[in-house]
Amino acid sequence: MRPHVVIIGGGFAGLHAARALRDAPVEVTLVDRTNHHVFQPLLYQVANTSLAPSDIAAPIRWILRAQRNATVLLGDVIGVAPAARAVEVAGQGAIDYDALIVATGARHAYFGHDPWEAHAPGLKTLEDALDMRQRMLLAFERAEWTADDAERRALLTFVIVGGGPTGVELAGTLPEFARVALRPDFRRFDAGTAHVVLVEGGARLLPAFPERVSATARRDLERLGVEVRTGKPVTEVSADGVTMGSEHIAARTVFWAAGNVASPLGRALGVPLDRAGRVLVADDLSVPGHPEIFVAGDLAAVRWDADRWVPGVAPAAMQMGRLAGSNASRLLGGVATTPFRYLNKGELATIGRNKAVAVFGPRIAFTGRPAWFLWLFVHIMYLVGFRNRLSVLLQWAYAYFTFQRGVRLVTPPVAPSA
Amino acid sequence: MRPHVVIIGGGFAGLHAARALRDAPVEVTLVDRTNHHVFQPLLYQVANTSLAPSDIAAPIRWILRAQRNATVLLGDVIGVAPAARAVEVAGQGAIDYDALIVATGARHAYFGHDPWEAHAPGLKTLEDALDMRQRMLLAFERAEWTADDAERRALLTFVIVGGGPTGVELAGTLPEFARVALRPDFRRFDAGTAHVVLVEGGARLLPAFPERVSATARRDLERLGVEVRTGKPVTEVSADGVTMGSEHIAARTVFWAAGNVASPLGRALGVPLDRAGRVLVADDLSVPGHPEIFVAGDLAAVRWDADRWVPGVAPAAMQMGRLAGSNASRLLGGVATTPFRYLNKGELATIGRNKAVAVFGPRIAFTGRPAWFLWLFVHIMYLVGFRNRLSVLLQWAYAYFTFQRGVRLVTPPVAPSA
C-alpha cells in the first residue's frame, strides 16, 4: 500500500498541493465541501453580473481527471484527529492519512459583529457571489415599485465596506452598470442616479499598495462616480444602512469586503493560531508537533520576512500548496522537507473599465490602461481550462463593446416584496 | 391617459403579447414572478449540464428595453378581480387594467400524486433545471462514496418518466455524458455503467409524432444505451425508485416529464376550465363574459380543428401571445377582434448527438442528422439576444468536439450525505 495523503480543500492551495503529488509514490484524496474549484479573483465579476458561475468555476474532479493517483470526494470535513491520523467527514465517517494538507482558506470576518453578515454579505464562494448579484438586482426591481422618494434613494444606494482590491473592484464597475446597462430598462426612475459609496476605515484605499497608487485609485473611482469615504470605521450595519460613528448612510444594499477570518478547521488541529485564526506553521508549512500535517493557503500564517506576513492572495496560496504537496512527499519518502520562500508576483486591482493598478516590488508600480491590459492577460492565463478562458474573453469583449451585462438573472425567483 | 393593458407572465406568450402592442396607443405593464424570460425548449440542456442558465435566459426588462410603452414589474400575481378590472400582486397591492392578458403557462402534473414531486422533479423553470442538474451530479458524487453494490446501482440508475420530447431529449444525452465526460473523473466506480431508463405509460414514445418516427426514436435511444419501457403506467414514485404495477426499478434519481397542469391563475378568473385546468377561451382568445380578458399560451385551451386542440408548444404560445396583444389593442380601439388560427410549424426533438426527429404536417417527417441540424438551426435562431446565440453555439461546438460539458456545478454546496 502506498502512503495516503489527504488534502482538505480544493481552492488554489489544495489543488496545487494535489498536482505537486502527481508523480509521487502516494495515493492522494482531496475532500472539498463543494464539487468545484473557484477562481476567486474573478468572483466579483459574478457578483456584478459580468460572468456566469460556470465561467470561473470547474469541477475539481474534472481538473484532476488525468491524475490517476488522485481521488476527489465531495464532503464536509468536520474534524481532525491528529493523534489517530484521521479526518472526520460529516455523514461518511473517518478517513485515515499518513500525511495531511489542510487548505480550507478563510471566510470574511465581521470583527465580532456577526449579525452584520445578514445585511452585508461577503464574497468568498459562488453562493456569496450569487447572493450579492441577487441583492443588487432586486434593489433595482424594488425601486421600480416604490412611490416613496426616500425609500427609492435607499434602494439605489450601494455601500461597499472595505477598500482593499475586492472592494475597489466591486465599487468600480457598479456606476457604469447602472448608468449604461440598466438605465434603458426601467421606466419609473433613473437607474443612472444609483449611488455607490466605498467605505474604508483606514486612512487610504488599497493599503497593501504604495500611497501614490492608492491616490490614483481614489481619483479613478471618484471620476467613475463612486463616493470614497476613508478614515472612519463602520460602527453599525443594519437593514437601514451603514453607520460610521455619528454619520449614517441609508442604504438597502451593503456588501462586505473588509476582512477575513481563517477557516474553523485550524482550531481543530489544537495548535497555536494567530489573531485571525490562522495556523502559525513552521518554515516547511508543517504544524508544531505534527510534522505530517501541513497547512497551506489563507489558513496558514507564515513569515515573508522579518516585518511582514505572506499576504492572503492567490499566488501565495498556489506556492504554499505546491510546497506542502512536495514536502508531504519528501516526508513520506524519508527526505528532509524544504522551507517556504514567498515569490511576490505583484499586486493587481482593476478600477472599472480601462483602468487598473499594478505593483511589482517596492519600485515598480503602474496604473491606467497598461495595468488594465496586464490584469486582463494575467487573469485569462490563470483561469482553469481552455473553455472557461474562451468564454470569459468573449463575455468581456461583449461587455466591453456593448456596455451590456450577460448574467442578470435572479434565481431562485423572489418577489421584490419578499 | 392611454388605456392600460396588463400582461401576466413573461414566457413566450406574454412576451409576444407585449411586443404586439409596441405601436399601439396603450400603456403596457408586464408582471412576472421571475426577472427573466426562459427559452423553455432548451431547459433540458441546463439540466444535463450542457448550457449555463444565462445562456437560455435573459431579463424580461432587457428584452423590452426599447419598447417605451412597456413597463416590466417583478411580482407574484396572486389574484384577479374581473369585476373590478384589477390584479392583485403579493405585497404590492392592486394594479388596474383596461385589458388583461393572462399568460402564466403550466406546471408539470403528477396526476393526483403530488407527493411524487419530491422524488421526481419536473422541468419548467430555471430552478427546476438547476435542481435536476444538482440531483444528477450528486448521484455520481454519492456513488464515489458508497461501498454497497446495490446502493451504487440505484445511484447510477436514472429514470425519466414521460416519453414526450422533453423525456426523449433528457434521456438521449445522459448515457454519453456518463460514458465519455464523467468516466475519467471517478476512481471507485465506472461511470459508464450508469443506466438510463425512459418510462412511458402509453404504447409508444413521442405520441404526437407519426408511428414511424416513434419507432425511429426508440431505436436511436436504445442504440445510445437507454432502456425504453412503454405501455406500463407508473403507479408509485418514492425515494427508492419507480414502480409500474408489479415491477420496481431501484433508482435514486427520477425525473418527471409526464404531464402538465395549467397555472392556478386560470381558476381565479371564475370561468370554465378543461380537465387540465386550462381556460376554455373564445375564438379570439377572450374569456366568456369578459371580452377584455385574454388568455394565451399553455394556460389557454383552444381548438386547432374539430378533432384537435392546439398543442402546448413554444410556437403556439408565441402565436397566441401575438393575437392576444393585437386583439387587446383592437378591443380598446373599438375594432372587432379576430379569431385565432394555429399555424403548425412542425415538431422537433433531438436524440443524443447527431440525431433528431422532425415532423411537418401529416406528410413530411424526417430523422437522423438532417433533422438534428434543423433542430440546431431553429433553436439558435429563436434564442433571444445575439449574445446568447453566440455563447450557446460555442458551448455546443465545445461539447460536440470534446464530449465535455461545461456547467457541472453543484450550487449551493451539498455534502453527498445530505
Side-chain angles (χ1 to χ4, degrees), chain A residues 35 61 65 67 70 74 141 145 185 187 387 394-395 408 416, chain B residues 35 61 70 74 141 145 185 187 387 394-395 408 410 416:
Chain A
N35 81 328
R61 59 172 70 262
R65 68 194 180 286
Q67 185 172 335
L74 175 64
E141 294 293 337
W145 275 107
D185 293 12
R187 300 287 179 266
R387 184 194 153 276
L394 282 166
Q395 302 210 41
R408 284 168 44 195
Chain B
N35 82 328
R61 60 172 69 262
L74 175 64
E141 294 293 339
W145 276 106
D185 292 13
R187 299 286 179 267
R387 183 195 153 276
L394 282 167
Q395 301 213 38
R408 284 167 43 194
V410 176

PDB file of all heavy atoms in Angstrom, chain A residues 35 61 65 67 70 74 141 145 185 187 387 394-395 408 416, chain B residues 35 61 70 74 141 145 185 187 387 394-395 408 410 416:
ATOM      1  N   ASN A  35     -18.284  20.811  -5.184  1.00  0.00           N
ATOM      2  CA  ASN A  35     -17.725  19.970  -6.241  1.00  0.00           C
ATOM      3  C   ASN A  35     -16.824  20.774  -7.176  1.00  0.00           C
ATOM      4  O   ASN A  35     -16.328  20.229  -8.142  1.00  0.00           O
ATOM      5  CB  ASN A  35     -18.848  19.262  -7.026  1.00  0.00           C
ATOM      6  CG  ASN A  35     -19.489  20.148  -8.089  1.00  0.00           C
ATOM      7  OD1 ASN A  35     -19.579  21.358  -7.922  1.00  0.00           O
ATOM      8  ND2 ASN A  35     -19.945  19.544  -9.163  1.00  0.00           N
ATOM      9  N   ARG A  61     -12.931  17.383  -9.670  1.00  0.00           N
ATOM     10  CA  ARG A  61     -12.583  16.060 -10.189  1.00  0.00           C
ATOM     11  C   ARG A  61     -12.296  16.117 -11.693  1.00  0.00           C
ATOM     12  O   ARG A  61     -11.567  15.284 -12.209  1.00  0.00           O
ATOM     13  CB  ARG A  61     -13.656  15.033  -9.871  1.00  0.00           C
ATOM     14  CG  ARG A  61     -15.036  15.318 -10.414  1.00  0.00           C
ATOM     15  CD  ARG A  61     -15.965  14.104 -10.188  1.00  0.00           C
ATOM     16  NE  ARG A  61     -16.313  13.885  -8.792  1.00  0.00           N
ATOM     17  CZ  ARG A  61     -15.715  13.022  -7.983  1.00  0.00           C
ATOM     18  NH1 ARG A  61     -14.750  12.273  -8.446  1.00  0.00           N
ATOM     19  NH2 ARG A  61     -16.086  12.887  -6.742  1.00  0.00           N
ATOM     20  N   ARG A  65      -8.785  14.975 -13.447  1.00  0.00           N
ATOM     21  CA  ARG A  65      -9.190  13.691 -14.028  1.00  0.00           C
ATOM     22  C   ARG A  65      -8.032  12.856 -14.562  1.00  0.00           C
ATOM     23  O   ARG A  65      -8.071  11.635 -14.529  1.00  0.00           O
ATOM     24  CB  ARG A  65     -10.224  13.921 -15.140  1.00  0.00           C
ATOM     25  CG  ARG A  65      -9.695  14.621 -16.391  1.00  0.00           C
ATOM     26  CD  ARG A  65     -10.850  15.089 -17.261  1.00  0.00           C
ATOM     27  NE  ARG A  65     -10.395  15.775 -18.476  1.00  0.00           N
ATOM     28  CZ  ARG A  65      -9.881  17.016 -18.526  1.00  0.00           C
ATOM     29  NH1 ARG A  65      -9.754  17.718 -17.408  1.00  0.00           N
ATOM     30  NH2 ARG A  65      -9.528  17.542 -19.670  1.00  0.00           N
ATOM     31  N   GLN A  67      -4.990  12.808 -13.336  1.00  0.00           N
ATOM     32  CA  GLN A  67      -4.036  12.428 -12.287  1.00  0.00           C
ATOM     33  C   GLN A  67      -4.514  11.154 -11.614  1.00  0.00           C
ATOM     34  O   GLN A  67      -5.314  11.198 -10.673  1.00  0.00           O
ATOM     35  CB  GLN A  67      -3.892  13.584 -11.281  1.00  0.00           C
ATOM     36  CG  GLN A  67      -2.816  13.313 -10.231  1.00  0.00           C
ATOM     37  CD  GLN A  67      -2.523  14.516  -9.366  1.00  0.00           C
ATOM     38  OE1 GLN A  67      -2.732  15.651  -9.756  1.00  0.00           O
ATOM     39  NE2 GLN A  67      -2.024  14.267  -8.161  1.00  0.00           N
ATOM     40  N   ALA A  70      -5.009  10.466  -7.799  1.00  0.00           N
ATOM     41  CA  ALA A  70      -5.831  11.388  -7.008  1.00  0.00           C
ATOM     42  C   ALA A  70      -7.305  10.998  -7.072  1.00  0.00           C
ATOM     43  O   ALA A  70      -7.859  10.803  -8.162  1.00  0.00           O
ATOM     44  CB  ALA A  70      -5.654  12.818  -7.504  1.00  0.00           C
ATOM     45  N   LEU A  74     -16.568  14.640  -2.519  1.00  0.00           N
ATOM     46  CA  LEU A  74     -17.393  15.759  -2.075  1.00  0.00           C
ATOM     47  C   LEU A  74     -17.814  15.481  -0.645  1.00  0.00           C
ATOM     48  O   LEU A  74     -18.527  14.513  -0.384  1.00  0.00           O
ATOM     49  CB  LEU A  74     -18.622  15.874  -2.986  1.00  0.00           C
ATOM     50  CG  LEU A  74     -19.673  16.911  -2.625  1.00  0.00           C
ATOM     51  CD1 LEU A  74     -19.112  18.317  -2.723  1.00  0.00           C
ATOM     52  CD2 LEU A  74     -20.881  16.769  -3.536  1.00  0.00           C
ATOM     53  N   GLU A 141     -35.152  46.268  -8.877  1.00  0.00           N
ATOM     54  CA  GLU A 141     -36.534  45.833  -9.091  1.00  0.00           C
ATOM     55  C   GLU A 141     -37.477  46.514  -8.085  1.00  0.00           C
ATOM     56  O   GLU A 141     -38.570  46.956  -8.418  1.00  0.00           O
ATOM     57  CB  GLU A 141     -36.653  44.311  -8.963  1.00  0.00           C
ATOM     58  CG  GLU A 141     -35.922  43.520 -10.038  1.00  0.00           C
ATOM     59  CD  GLU A 141     -36.536  43.696 -11.426  1.00  0.00           C
ATOM     60  OE1 GLU A 141     -37.726  44.052 -11.529  1.00  0.00           O
ATOM     61  OE2 GLU A 141     -35.803  43.492 -12.424  1.00  0.00           O
ATOM     62  N   TRP A 145     -40.887  49.609  -8.102  1.00  0.00           N
ATOM     63  CA  TRP A 145     -42.208  49.526  -7.461  1.00  0.00           C
ATOM     64  C   TRP A 145     -42.508  50.723  -6.558  1.00  0.00           C
ATOM     65  O   TRP A 145     -43.657  51.142  -6.429  1.00  0.00           O
ATOM     66  CB  TRP A 145     -42.287  48.265  -6.585  1.00  0.00           C
ATOM     67  CG  TRP A 145     -42.669  46.998  -7.290  1.00  0.00           C
ATOM     68  CD1 TRP A 145     -41.831  45.964  -7.580  1.00  0.00           C
ATOM     69  CD2 TRP A 145     -43.968  46.610  -7.758  1.00  0.00           C
ATOM     70  NE1 TRP A 145     -42.527  44.963  -8.216  1.00  0.00           N
ATOM     71  CE2 TRP A 145     -43.838  45.330  -8.326  1.00  0.00           C
ATOM     72  CE3 TRP A 145     -45.230  47.204  -7.754  1.00  0.00           C
ATOM     73  CZ2 TRP A 145     -44.917  44.632  -8.895  1.00  0.00           C
ATOM     74  CZ3 TRP A 145     -46.304  46.513  -8.316  1.00  0.00           C
ATOM     75  CH2 TRP A 145     -46.142  45.247  -8.877  1.00  0.00           C
ATOM     76  N   ASP A 185     -33.718  50.101 -19.068  1.00  0.00           N
ATOM     77  CA  ASP A 185     -34.618  49.001 -18.720  1.00  0.00           C
ATOM     78  C   ASP A 185     -35.700  49.406 -17.727  1.00  0.00           C
ATOM     79  O   ASP A 185     -36.643  48.647 -17.499  1.00  0.00           O
ATOM     80  CB  ASP A 185     -33.821  47.851 -18.094  1.00  0.00           C
ATOM     81  CG  ASP A 185     -32.882  47.190 -19.087  1.00  0.00           C
ATOM     82  OD1 ASP A 185     -32.694  47.765 -20.169  1.00  0.00           O
ATOM     83  OD2 ASP A 185     -32.358  46.118 -18.776  1.00  0.00           O
ATOM     84  N   ARG A 187     -38.545  52.285 -16.109  1.00  0.00           N
ATOM     85  CA  ARG A 187     -39.433  53.336 -16.585  1.00  0.00           C
ATOM     86  C   ARG A 187     -39.769  54.367 -15.528  1.00  0.00           C
ATOM     87  O   ARG A 187     -40.125  55.495 -15.844  1.00  0.00           O
ATOM     88  CB  ARG A 187     -40.756  52.708 -17.066  1.00  0.00           C
ATOM     89  CG  ARG A 187     -40.600  51.713 -18.210  1.00  0.00           C
ATOM     90  CD  ARG A 187     -40.294  52.420 -19.530  1.00  0.00           C
ATOM     91  NE  ARG A 187     -40.127  51.447 -20.616  1.00  0.00           N
ATOM     92  CZ  ARG A 187     -38.960  50.948 -20.993  1.00  0.00           C
ATOM     93  NH1 ARG A 187     -37.852  51.333 -20.408  1.00  0.00           N
ATOM     94  NH2 ARG A 187     -38.895  50.076 -21.985  1.00  0.00           N
ATOM     95  N   ARG A 387     -11.872  26.076 -22.119  1.00  0.00           N
ATOM     96  CA  ARG A 387     -13.219  26.522 -22.380  1.00  0.00           C
ATOM     97  C   ARG A 387     -13.548  27.800 -21.595  1.00  0.00           C
ATOM     98  O   ARG A 387     -14.086  28.757 -22.132  1.00  0.00           O
ATOM     99  CB  ARG A 387     -14.210  25.425 -22.006  1.00  0.00           C
ATOM    100  CG  ARG A 387     -15.626  25.794 -22.340  1.00  0.00           C
ATOM    101  CD  ARG A 387     -16.609  24.881 -21.674  1.00  0.00           C
ATOM    102  NE  ARG A 387     -17.844  25.627 -21.490  1.00  0.00           N
ATOM    103  CZ  ARG A 387     -18.066  26.413 -20.479  1.00  0.00           C
ATOM    104  NH1 ARG A 387     -17.165  26.559 -19.539  1.00  0.00           N
ATOM    105  NH2 ARG A 387     -19.209  27.074 -20.390  1.00  0.00           N
ATOM    106  N   LEU A 394     -14.817  36.135 -24.408  1.00  0.00           N
ATOM    107  CA  LEU A 394     -15.935  36.561 -25.247  1.00  0.00           C
ATOM    108  C   LEU A 394     -16.916  37.417 -24.474  1.00  0.00           C
ATOM    109  O   LEU A 394     -17.434  38.415 -24.961  1.00  0.00           O
ATOM    110  CB  LEU A 394     -16.658  35.331 -25.805  1.00  0.00           C
ATOM    111  CG  LEU A 394     -15.930  34.702 -26.980  1.00  0.00           C
ATOM    112  CD1 LEU A 394     -16.482  33.314 -27.259  1.00  0.00           C
ATOM    113  CD2 LEU A 394     -16.095  35.591 -28.211  1.00  0.00           C
ATOM    114  N   GLN A 395     -17.180  37.032 -23.233  1.00  0.00           N
ATOM    115  CA  GLN A 395     -18.131  37.804 -22.445  1.00  0.00           C
ATOM    116  C   GLN A 395     -17.554  39.174 -22.112  1.00  0.00           C
ATOM    117  O   GLN A 395     -18.279  40.164 -22.085  1.00  0.00           O
ATOM    118  CB  GLN A 395     -18.514  37.050 -21.176  1.00  0.00           C
ATOM    119  CG  GLN A 395     -19.101  35.711 -21.530  1.00  0.00           C
ATOM    120  CD  GLN A 395     -20.119  35.239 -20.526  1.00  0.00           C
ATOM    121  OE1 GLN A 395     -20.938  36.018 -20.047  1.00  0.00           O
ATOM    122  NE2 GLN A 395     -20.096  33.974 -20.211  1.00  0.00           N
ATOM    123  N   ARG A 408     -27.797  38.733 -15.837  1.00  0.00           N
ATOM    124  CA  ARG A 408     -28.617  39.462 -14.882  1.00  0.00           C
ATOM    125  C   ARG A 408     -29.796  38.623 -14.415  1.00  0.00           C
ATOM    126  O   ARG A 408     -30.948  39.032 -14.506  1.00  0.00           O
ATOM    127  CB  ARG A 408     -29.091  40.756 -15.529  1.00  0.00           C
ATOM    128  CG  ARG A 408     -27.989  41.807 -15.602  1.00  0.00           C
ATOM    129  CD  ARG A 408     -28.365  42.948 -16.480  1.00  0.00           C
ATOM    130  NE  ARG A 408     -29.735  43.375 -16.246  1.00  0.00           N
ATOM    131  CZ  ARG A 408     -30.419  44.145 -17.052  1.00  0.00           C
ATOM    132  NH1 ARG A 408     -29.834  44.581 -18.158  1.00  0.00           N
ATOM    133  NH2 ARG A 408     -31.650  44.472 -16.784  1.00  0.00           N
ATOM    134  N   PRO A 416     -40.197  41.148  -5.224  1.00  0.00           N
ATOM    135  CA  PRO A 416     -39.455  42.253  -4.615  1.00  0.00           C
ATOM    136  C   PRO A 416     -39.974  42.629  -3.242  1.00  0.00           C
ATOM    137  O   PRO A 416     -39.317  43.350  -2.504  1.00  0.00           O
ATOM    138  CB  PRO A 416     -39.644  43.399  -5.611  1.00  0.00           C
ATOM    139  CG  PRO A 416     -40.814  43.036  -6.443  1.00  0.00           C
ATOM    140  CD  PRO A 416     -40.895  41.533  -6.452  1.00  0.00           C
TER     141      PRO A 416
ATOM    142  N   ASN B  35     -37.370  37.520 -12.918  1.00  0.00           N
ATOM    143  CA  ASN B  35     -36.911  38.680 -13.688  1.00  0.00           C
ATOM    144  C   ASN B  35     -36.509  38.293 -15.105  1.00  0.00           C
ATOM    145  O   ASN B  35     -36.073  39.132 -15.866  1.00  0.00           O
ATOM    146  CB  ASN B  35     -35.759  39.392 -12.963  1.00  0.00           C
ATOM    147  CG  ASN B  35     -34.404  38.743 -13.196  1.00  0.00           C
ATOM    148  OD1 ASN B  35     -34.315  37.528 -13.359  1.00  0.00           O
ATOM    149  ND2 ASN B  35     -33.355  39.549 -13.205  1.00  0.00           N
ATOM    150  N   ARG B  61     -37.049  42.726 -18.725  1.00  0.00           N
ATOM    151  CA  ARG B  61     -36.983  44.186 -18.932  1.00  0.00           C
ATOM    152  C   ARG B  61     -35.882  44.547 -19.926  1.00  0.00           C
ATOM    153  O   ARG B  61     -35.972  45.588 -20.566  1.00  0.00           O
ATOM    154  CB  ARG B  61     -36.810  44.929 -17.606  1.00  0.00           C
ATOM    155  CG  ARG B  61     -35.585  44.609 -16.815  1.00  0.00           C
ATOM    156  CD  ARG B  61     -35.449  45.563 -15.621  1.00  0.00           C
ATOM    157  NE  ARG B  61     -36.456  45.359 -14.588  1.00  0.00           N
ATOM    158  CZ  ARG B  61     -37.552  46.061 -14.448  1.00  0.00           C
ATOM    159  NH1 ARG B  61     -37.808  47.061 -15.263  1.00  0.00           N
ATOM    160  NH2 ARG B  61     -38.406  45.801 -13.488  1.00  0.00           N
ATOM    161  N   ALA B  70     -43.844  49.997 -22.599  1.00  0.00           N
ATOM    162  CA  ALA B  70     -43.919  48.794 -21.757  1.00  0.00           C
ATOM    163  C   ALA B  70     -43.125  48.967 -20.469  1.00  0.00           C
ATOM    164  O   ALA B  70     -41.956  49.346 -20.491  1.00  0.00           O
ATOM    165  CB  ALA B  70     -43.397  47.581 -22.522  1.00  0.00           C
ATOM    166  N   LEU B  74     -41.389  43.010 -11.463  1.00  0.00           N
ATOM    167  CA  LEU B  74     -41.148  41.711 -10.855  1.00  0.00           C
ATOM    168  C   LEU B  74     -42.146  41.555  -9.724  1.00  0.00           C
ATOM    169  O   LEU B  74     -42.114  42.309  -8.751  1.00  0.00           O
ATOM    170  CB  LEU B  74     -39.720  41.653 -10.309  1.00  0.00           C
ATOM    171  CG  LEU B  74     -39.300  40.412  -9.523  1.00  0.00           C
ATOM    172  CD1 LEU B  74     -39.325  39.174 -10.389  1.00  0.00           C
ATOM    173  CD2 LEU B  74     -37.924  40.609  -8.916  1.00  0.00           C
ATOM    174  N   GLU B 141     -21.611  11.755  -7.278  1.00  0.00           N
ATOM    175  CA  GLU B 141     -20.753  12.015  -6.118  1.00  0.00           C
ATOM    176  C   GLU B 141     -20.986  10.977  -5.015  1.00  0.00           C
ATOM    177  O   GLU B 141     -20.043  10.495  -4.384  1.00  0.00           O
ATOM    178  CB  GLU B 141     -21.007  13.428  -5.569  1.00  0.00           C
ATOM    179  CG  GLU B 141     -20.604  14.570  -6.508  1.00  0.00           C
ATOM    180  CD  GLU B 141     -19.108  14.674  -6.732  1.00  0.00           C
ATOM    181  OE1 GLU B 141     -18.339  14.157  -5.896  1.00  0.00           O
ATOM    182  OE2 GLU B 141     -18.685  15.248  -7.762  1.00  0.00           O
ATOM    183  N   TRP B 145     -18.663   7.534  -2.992  1.00  0.00           N
ATOM    184  CA  TRP B 145     -18.509   7.265  -1.566  1.00  0.00           C
ATOM    185  C   TRP B 145     -18.931   5.850  -1.176  1.00  0.00           C
ATOM    186  O   TRP B 145     -18.358   5.250  -0.275  1.00  0.00           O
ATOM    187  CB  TRP B 145     -19.364   8.233  -0.734  1.00  0.00           C
ATOM    188  CG  TRP B 145     -18.753   9.565  -0.446  1.00  0.00           C
ATOM    189  CD1 TRP B 145     -19.095  10.744  -1.021  1.00  0.00           C
ATOM    190  CD2 TRP B 145     -17.720   9.869   0.502  1.00  0.00           C
ATOM    191  NE1 TRP B 145     -18.348  11.762  -0.501  1.00  0.00           N
ATOM    192  CE2 TRP B 145     -17.489  11.256   0.442  1.00  0.00           C
ATOM    193  CE3 TRP B 145     -16.965   9.114   1.400  1.00  0.00           C
ATOM    194  CZ2 TRP B 145     -16.532  11.891   1.246  1.00  0.00           C
ATOM    195  CZ3 TRP B 145     -16.024   9.749   2.195  1.00  0.00           C
ATOM    196  CH2 TRP B 145     -15.812  11.129   2.112  1.00  0.00           C
ATOM    197  N   ASP B 185     -13.370  10.898 -14.501  1.00  0.00           N
ATOM    198  CA  ASP B 185     -13.343  11.732 -13.299  1.00  0.00           C
ATOM    199  C   ASP B 185     -13.521  10.936 -12.014  1.00  0.00           C
ATOM    200  O   ASP B 185     -13.313  11.475 -10.925  1.00  0.00           O
ATOM    201  CB  ASP B 185     -14.460  12.779 -13.350  1.00  0.00           C
ATOM    202  CG  ASP B 185     -14.214  13.804 -14.446  1.00  0.00           C
ATOM    203  OD1 ASP B 185     -13.345  13.549 -15.288  1.00  0.00           O
ATOM    204  OD2 ASP B 185     -14.910  14.828 -14.453  1.00  0.00           O
ATOM    205  N   ARG B 187     -12.905   7.368  -9.576  1.00  0.00           N
ATOM    206  CA  ARG B 187     -11.874   6.358  -9.354  1.00  0.00           C
ATOM    207  C   ARG B 187     -12.441   5.049  -8.813  1.00  0.00           C
ATOM    208  O   ARG B 187     -11.830   4.006  -8.946  1.00  0.00           O
ATOM    209  CB  ARG B 187     -10.850   6.882  -8.338  1.00  0.00           C
ATOM    210  CG  ARG B 187     -10.112   8.145  -8.779  1.00  0.00           C
ATOM    211  CD  ARG B 187      -9.091   7.852  -9.853  1.00  0.00           C
ATOM    212  NE  ARG B 187      -8.398   9.079 -10.288  1.00  0.00           N
ATOM    213  CZ  ARG B 187      -8.787   9.831 -11.316  1.00  0.00           C
ATOM    214  NH1 ARG B 187      -9.848   9.480 -12.034  1.00  0.00           N
ATOM    215  NH2 ARG B 187      -8.110  10.914 -11.646  1.00  0.00           N
ATOM    216  N   ARG B 387     -26.042  37.762 -27.996  1.00  0.00           N
ATOM    217  CA  ARG B 387     -25.032  37.201 -27.120  1.00  0.00           C
ATOM    218  C   ARG B 387     -25.331  35.748 -26.771  1.00  0.00           C
ATOM    219  O   ARG B 387     -24.474  34.885 -26.818  1.00  0.00           O
ATOM    220  CB  ARG B 387     -24.960  38.026 -25.832  1.00  0.00           C
ATOM    221  CG  ARG B 387     -23.875  37.537 -24.919  1.00  0.00           C
ATOM    222  CD  ARG B 387     -24.021  38.077 -23.528  1.00  0.00           C
ATOM    223  NE  ARG B 387     -23.405  37.152 -22.602  1.00  0.00           N
ATOM    224  CZ  ARG B 387     -23.996  36.107 -22.120  1.00  0.00           C
ATOM    225  NH1 ARG B 387     -25.234  35.835 -22.431  1.00  0.00           N
ATOM    226  NH2 ARG B 387     -23.370  35.296 -21.288  1.00  0.00           N
ATOM    227  N   LEU B 394     -21.123  28.343 -29.234  1.00  0.00           N
ATOM    228  CA  LEU B 394     -19.769  27.985 -28.828  1.00  0.00           C
ATOM    229  C   LEU B 394     -19.763  26.833 -27.851  1.00  0.00           C
ATOM    230  O   LEU B 394     -18.939  25.938 -27.926  1.00  0.00           O
ATOM    231  CB  LEU B 394     -19.091  29.203 -28.193  1.00  0.00           C
ATOM    232  CG  LEU B 394     -18.595  30.196 -29.219  1.00  0.00           C
ATOM    233  CD1 LEU B 394     -18.241  31.505 -28.548  1.00  0.00           C
ATOM    234  CD2 LEU B 394     -17.368  29.623 -29.923  1.00  0.00           C
ATOM    235  N   GLN B 395     -20.703  26.847 -26.929  1.00  0.00           N
ATOM    236  CA  GLN B 395     -20.719  25.773 -25.945  1.00  0.00           C
ATOM    237  C   GLN B 395     -21.113  24.457 -26.598  1.00  0.00           C
ATOM    238  O   GLN B 395     -20.616  23.388 -26.236  1.00  0.00           O
ATOM    239  CB  GLN B 395     -21.686  26.117 -24.817  1.00  0.00           C
ATOM    240  CG  GLN B 395     -21.279  27.412 -24.160  1.00  0.00           C
ATOM    241  CD  GLN B 395     -21.601  27.432 -22.691  1.00  0.00           C
ATOM    242  OE1 GLN B 395     -21.469  26.434 -22.003  1.00  0.00           O
ATOM    243  NE2 GLN B 395     -22.032  28.567 -22.207  1.00  0.00           N
ATOM    244  N   ARG B 408     -20.861  21.793 -14.883  1.00  0.00           N
ATOM    245  CA  ARG B 408     -21.105  20.731 -13.918  1.00  0.00           C
ATOM    246  C   ARG B 408     -20.977  21.238 -12.492  1.00  0.00           C
ATOM    247  O   ARG B 408     -20.224  20.700 -11.691  1.00  0.00           O
ATOM    248  CB  ARG B 408     -20.146  19.586 -14.180  1.00  0.00           C
ATOM    249  CG  ARG B 408     -20.539  18.757 -15.394  1.00  0.00           C
ATOM    250  CD  ARG B 408     -19.437  17.827 -15.819  1.00  0.00           C
ATOM    251  NE  ARG B 408     -18.835  17.190 -14.674  1.00  0.00           N
ATOM    252  CZ  ARG B 408     -17.677  16.541 -14.712  1.00  0.00           C
ATOM    253  NH1 ARG B 408     -17.024  16.452 -15.824  1.00  0.00           N
ATOM    254  NH2 ARG B 408     -17.193  16.000 -13.635  1.00  0.00           N
ATOM    255  N   VAL B 410     -22.362  22.118  -8.708  1.00  0.00           N
ATOM    256  CA  VAL B 410     -23.371  21.902  -7.672  1.00  0.00           C
ATOM    257  C   VAL B 410     -23.385  23.144  -6.802  1.00  0.00           C
ATOM    258  O   VAL B 410     -22.442  23.399  -6.065  1.00  0.00           O
ATOM    259  CB  VAL B 410     -23.055  20.656  -6.822  1.00  0.00           C
ATOM    260  CG1 VAL B 410     -24.065  20.510  -5.707  1.00  0.00           C
ATOM    261  CG2 VAL B 410     -23.032  19.410  -7.689  1.00  0.00           C
ATOM    262  N   PRO B 416     -22.632  14.959   0.029  1.00  0.00           N
ATOM    263  CA  PRO B 416     -23.364  13.853  -0.574  1.00  0.00           C
ATOM    264  C   PRO B 416     -24.165  13.062   0.442  1.00  0.00           C
ATOM    265  O   PRO B 416     -25.042  12.298   0.078  1.00  0.00           O
ATOM    266  CB  PRO B 416     -22.268  12.999  -1.206  1.00  0.00           C
ATOM    267  CG  PRO B 416     -21.016  13.394  -0.529  1.00  0.00           C
ATOM    268  CD  PRO B 416     -21.202  14.808  -0.094  1.00  0.00           C
TER     269      PRO B 416
END
